[in-house]
Amino acid sequence: MQIDPRGPRFAAALTTLVLIAVLLTGSGLLLALQAVVFALGTIGGLRRSPYGWVYRTLVRPRLAPPTTTEDERPPRFAQGVGLAFAAIGTLGFLTGVAWLGLLTAGFALAAAFLNAVFGYCLGCEMYLVVRRAQGRLDPTP
């Protein structure tokens, strides 16, 4: 499935704001809600993500059509990576290991910020590395 590449960048901007709030407040609940957003994007696809819905409904109609599209799989994989960090961080907050929650939220924030501001998706790059490694390990195309 092809997507408008501006959608994931918009979602990354919202994620950046949420994760800044997590770091400022130390809120495990807020990080858990962000984990749910990541889970919906990972399992249901970017169009089922709440941020995807906001982009598609409120932002996209006000923009010119995209000049290019991109494969949904790398950003969807990136949502899964974000989910892993947010889930570990939420577990840290819930078990009283606040430093773990803050550390993982900080890593997720760095990745979201890079995507939102510079269009560089760390999770997407990880997807490509994994796919290349699979290609070397699996002789069938």
Side-chain angles (χ1 to χ4, degrees):
M1 166 143 338
Q2 295 293 306
I3 59 169
D4 180 344
R6 298 171 296 184
R9 284 188 77 177
F10 174 79
L14 293 180
T15 300
T16 296
L17 295 174
V18 169
L19 293 172
I20 288 171
V22 168
L23 292 176
L24 291 174
T25 64
S27 173
L29 176 61
L30 193 53
L31 188 56
L33 292 173
Q34 181 59 52
V36 170
V37 170
F38 283 140
L40 291 170
T42 301
I43 296 165
L46 301 179
R47 293 185 176 161
R48 297 230 183 344
S49 165
Y51 299 163
W53 180 86
V54 169
Y55 176 77
R56 207 173 49 258
T57 306
L58 302 177
V59 178
R60 173 68 186 88
R62 291 167 173 71
L63 302 175
T67 56
T68 61
T69 59
E70 68 182 19
D71 184 2
E72 180 188 40
R73 291 176 294 183
R76 193 169 174 178
F77 179 87
Q79 292 285 297
V81 174
L83 171 59
F85 276 88
I88 292 168
T90 298
L91 184 62
F93 281 121
L94 291 175
T95 59
V97 187
W99 66 265
L100 181 60
L102 295 170
L103 180 68
T104 58
F107 282 135
L109 171 60
F113 180 81
L114 283 172
N115 193 359
V117 175
F118 301 108
Y120 186 78
C121 177
L122 286 173
C124 300
E125 295 300 321
M126 287 176 59
Y127 174 84
L128 296 174
V129 168
V130 168
R131 292 294 294 185
R132 284 188 200 111
Q134 287 174 338
R136 284 189 219 121
L137 298 174
D138 183 8
T140 59

